Amino acid sequence: MKRPHPVSRTVPHIVVVGAGFGGLMVARHLREVDADVTLIDKYNYHTFQPLLYQVATSALTPEEVAHSARGIFHRQKNLRFYMGKVEGVDFAAKELELASGETITYDYLILAAGASTNDFGVPGVKEHAFYLKTIPQALHMRAHIITQFERVDADPKLLEKGALNFVLVGGGPTGVEMSGALVELFTHVLKKDYPNIEVSMAKVILVEMTDRLLGPFHASSRQNALDVLRRRGVDVHLNEAVVKVTPTEVHLKSGEIIPCQTLIWAAGVRGNPLVEALDLELTRGFRIKVNEHLSVPGHPEVFVIGDLAGSVDENGQLLPQVAPVANQGGRYVAELLRRKLHGGPKMTPFRYKDPGIMATIGRAAAVAELPSGLRFRGFTAWLAWLFLHLIYLIGFRNRMSVMLNWMYNYFTYDRSARLIVDVIPDVPAYSQATFVKQEEKLKEPVLRD
Ligand SMILES: Cc1cc2nc3c(=O)[nH]c(=O)nc-3n(C[C@H](O)[C@H](O)[C@H](O)COP(=O)(O)OP(=O)(O)OC[C@H]3O[C@@H](n4cnc5c(N)ncnc54)[C@H](O)[C@@H]3O)c2cc1C
């Protein structure tokens, strides 16, 4: 079934796949371009991934870190949003294939479908680990964490079986942020919720393969993150790796076996599974190879931006999979298409301008580094982190709500979003076919014993 062309057939049709950072940026900047734009996403909302860990640890609600995709584009007359999962592309026919069986034709295609979690083939991870890339995954993790406390409250013997051992894998920003937030949740909030549980028995264990946390940061920032986490009670294992996971144990390379029912995998990303259906040349990390104008070699009408793109810097090094790369790629491709359709000088190659890096470690603790070499840490870096995340969050209502929530959490040490509302991760409701799959999934137990 062919999906009709959205507005007219008199101007080119630009299709953007993915309403993440890159997709939103390119779609917005195509506002003034004489073209029909279709934005497709498997969810009907944009997810602000950097704050997902706050949903998983009960600090924020999903609605505060996501925004309706249709709502974002109310005033953009040349854009239509379509909820659907893209499963393939016929590059010769210039046609997208959707999970619903529909097809959509394009004149220009921008792939911005992001990345997925890389389990590196470690046995048991796919089956038993919790991931943090989507709202359903964050909600599922939140429900599981609090359920573990409910279970131990009902049966304290489960403590000996590791029911309150939480192992995080990966000492990058997500692992650091998540472990810092977990100890705070336990010591400030769940301690009061569960007076019958000795909450100090709950362990947060962060496992990192290399000898350092926050790899790309300066040594002093890395040391600060390590010191703060250890001081706050996180058990950090450096030069250690997870080699096997079962529903009740995590096996480490050193031979240690940790009784554990919660493994949070923050160890790596790889290109979206969509790449497997595309038959395009890939770079390391299953990202699509692009040229200096972010288009696919041999397909000048197809562009790839953000986490999915194997875009490189002037030294040929792959760019990091972070929001500013996706945003700048989106702006670049929109301008390239504007010049192509309206006339203008040829674009110079895409060059990423690094705005600096930052990571929060927990309450009033963060590290931030500017390209000039200026470094901040502690309360100042934490305030900068809060401020920047508020600025980049989509929607005025979300910004106000998050700001109020953060102030409330800071002054009261409380976290109001600690409800057990479980969902089935990775099963978006985008088509009838999915509903059938969802029903099948519902028959499976959701929470792990
Ligand atoms: C937990 C976490 C914390 C992070 N923290 C930071 C941070 O602090 N700072 C930072 O700079 N970066 C951070 N990142 C990385 C940053 O979020 C990504 O680099 C950025 O989101 C990439 O943007 P993107 O547009 O390429 O993809 P995404 O933002 O991932 O968007 C991809 C979109 O494509 C949609 N999609 C996927 N597959 C399909 C399909 N087949 N059909 C239709 N739609 C599809 C998805 O639903 C999604 O909306 C974090 C990431 C995570 C997961």
Side-chain angles (χ1 to χ4, degrees):
M1 183 183 22
K2 210 179 250 328
R3 184 121 183 142
H5 196 269
V7 182
S8 66
R9 281 186 180 275
T10 55
V11 292
H13 186 202
I14 303 174
V15 176
V16 181
V17 179
F21 283 97
L24 284 194
M25 191 56 85
V26 71
R28 279 171 160 172
H29 280 77
L30 288 170
R31 196 174 37 236
E32 307 293 334
V33 175
D34 204 10
D36 291 336
V37 180
T38 298
L39 174 63
I40 305 174
D41 200 287
K42 60 183 177 177
Y43 298 115
N44 77 331
Y45 51 82
H46 161 79
T47 304
F48 191 81
Q49 291 175 3
L51 290 181
L52 275 179
Y53 84 95
Q54 299 214 358
V55 175
T57 53
S58 305
L60 295 174
T61 63
E63 287 76 10
E64 288 170 317
V65 306
H67 199 292
S68 143
R70 287 179 190 270
I72 295 168
F73 292 99
H74 271 171
R75 279 183 278 182
Q76 188 166 332
K77 296 286 174 246
N78 72 340
L79 184 139
R80 294 288 175 275
F81 176 77
Y82 180 43
M83 186 167 86
K85 185 179 184 195
V86 175
E87 290 200 331
V89 182
D90 182 339
F91 292 106
K94 295 191 181 171
E95 205 165 74
L96 290 181
E97 293 144 12
L98 279 81
S100 58
E102 291 168 292
T103 58
I104 297 182
T105 52
Y106 62 83
D107 297 301
Y108 295 97
L109 174 65
I110 301 158
L111 295 170
S116 62
T117 307
N118 193 348
D119 62 25
F120 298 109
V122 175
V125 171
K126 200 158 55 180
E127 296 80 8
H128 307 299
F130 288 83
Y131 297 158
L132 190 61
K133 286 266 346 143
T134 63
I135 295 267
Q137 287 172 351
L139 279 176
H140 186 45
M141 198 189 291
R142 180 179 88 182
H144 172 82
I145 292 166
I146 302 173
T147 301
Q148 288 299 93
F149 279 81
E150 289 294 341
R151 294 176 65 224
V152 172
D153 194 51
D155 180 3
K157 282 200 214 77
L158 289 175
L159 249 180
E160 290 152 33
K161 296 184 180 165
L164 294 188
N165 287 347
F166 298 83
V167 176
L168 291 103
V169 186
T174 303
V176 167
E177 288 171 354
M178 188 72 199
S179 42
L182 274 180
V183 279
E184 276 167 28
L185 175 70
F186 299 168
T187 49
H188 297 311
V189 186
L190 298 187
K191 191 178 171 185
K192 287 183 260 166
D193 279 358
Y194 300 93
N196 295 333
I197 299 179
E198 185 48 73
V199 169
S200 60
M201 300 290 281
K203 288 200 185 76
V204 178
I205 302 153
L206 178 60
V207 178
E208 162 58 36
M209 219 172 132
T210 68
D211 61 354
R212 56 192 61 180
L213 298 180
L214 299 180
F217 286 71
H218 186 268
S220 64
S221 306
R222 298 198 303 255
Q223 190 59 44
N224 180 254
L226 183 63
D227 293 343
V228 172
L229 284 185
R230 284 193 167 146
R231 214 168 38 238
R232 294 185 179 190
V234 178
D235 184 5
V236 183
H237 293 234
L238 297 176
N239 296 309
E240 184 58 283
V242 168
V243 291
K244 186 175 138 187
V245 184
T246 74
T248 53
E249 285 171 350
V250 171
H251 295 236
L252 301 182
K253 198 173 162 203
S254 59
E256 189 182 344
I257 298 174
I258 305 174
C260 167
Q261 299 166 10
T262 316
L263 178 87
I264 298 169
W265 190 260
V269 290
R270 44 159 295 161
N272 187 291
L274 177 62
V275 296
E276 278 145 36
L278 297 186
D279 197 21
L280 294 174
E281 193 178 343
L282 303 181
T283 63
R284 192 161 48 81
F286 297 88
R287 295 156 74 172
I288 298 172
K289 186 171 178 172
V290 289
N291 62 25
E292 73 272 25
H293 295 295
L294 301 185
S295 66
V296 173
H299 294 284
E301 74 289 359
V302 180
F303 299 85
V304 190
I305 57 175
D307 283 2
L308 189 59
S311 46
V312 293
D313 64 15
E314 43 277 60
N315 303 315
Q317 296 298 314
L318 279 173
L319 292 174
Q321 285 163 298
V322 290
V325 172
N327 284 336
Q328 291 179 29
R331 268 199 298 270
Y332 177 90
V333 170
E335 177 58 18
L336 188 150
L337 285 174
R338 194 188 66 75
R339 292 189 194 184
K340 205 179 218 18
L341 300 176
H342 293 200
K346 196 170 177 310
M347 293 287 279
T348 54
F350 174 67
R351 283 283 165 261
Y352 173 56
K353 289 188 194 68
D354 182 4
I357 44 178
M358 53 171 45
T360 176
I361 311 163
R363 184 186 171 82
V367 285
E369 297 180 0
L370 297 177
S372 63
L374 214 54
R375 291 190 293 277
F376 305 91
R377 62 187 197 212
F379 192 67
T380 320
W382 185 66
L383 280 185
W385 184 93
L386 295 180
F387 179 72
L388 275 175
H389 281 71
L390 277 182
I391 296 275
Y392 284 108
L393 198 60
I394 303 283
F396 180 72
R397 194 198 67 86
N398 284 20
R399 280 187 210 123
M400 294 310 287
S401 173
V402 167
M403 192 172 72
L404 285 176
N405 236 326
W406 280 348
M407 282 164 60
Y408 176 82
N409 293 352
Y410 183 75
F411 289 112
T412 64
Y413 286 83
D414 199 8
R415 304 257 171 124
S416 49
R418 50 189 195 278
L419 313 182
I420 299 175
V421 182
D422 208 355
V423 293
I424 299 166
D426 307 322
V427 186
Y430 53 79
S431 72
Q432 190 57 41
T434 307
F435 289 131
V436 175
K437 270 195 240 158
Q438 195 155 349
E439 272 172 18
E440 282 165 13
K441 272 263 179 187
L442 276 169
K443 290 176 200 145
E444 297 170 12
V446 175
L447 294 178
R448 291 153 189 161
D449 279 315

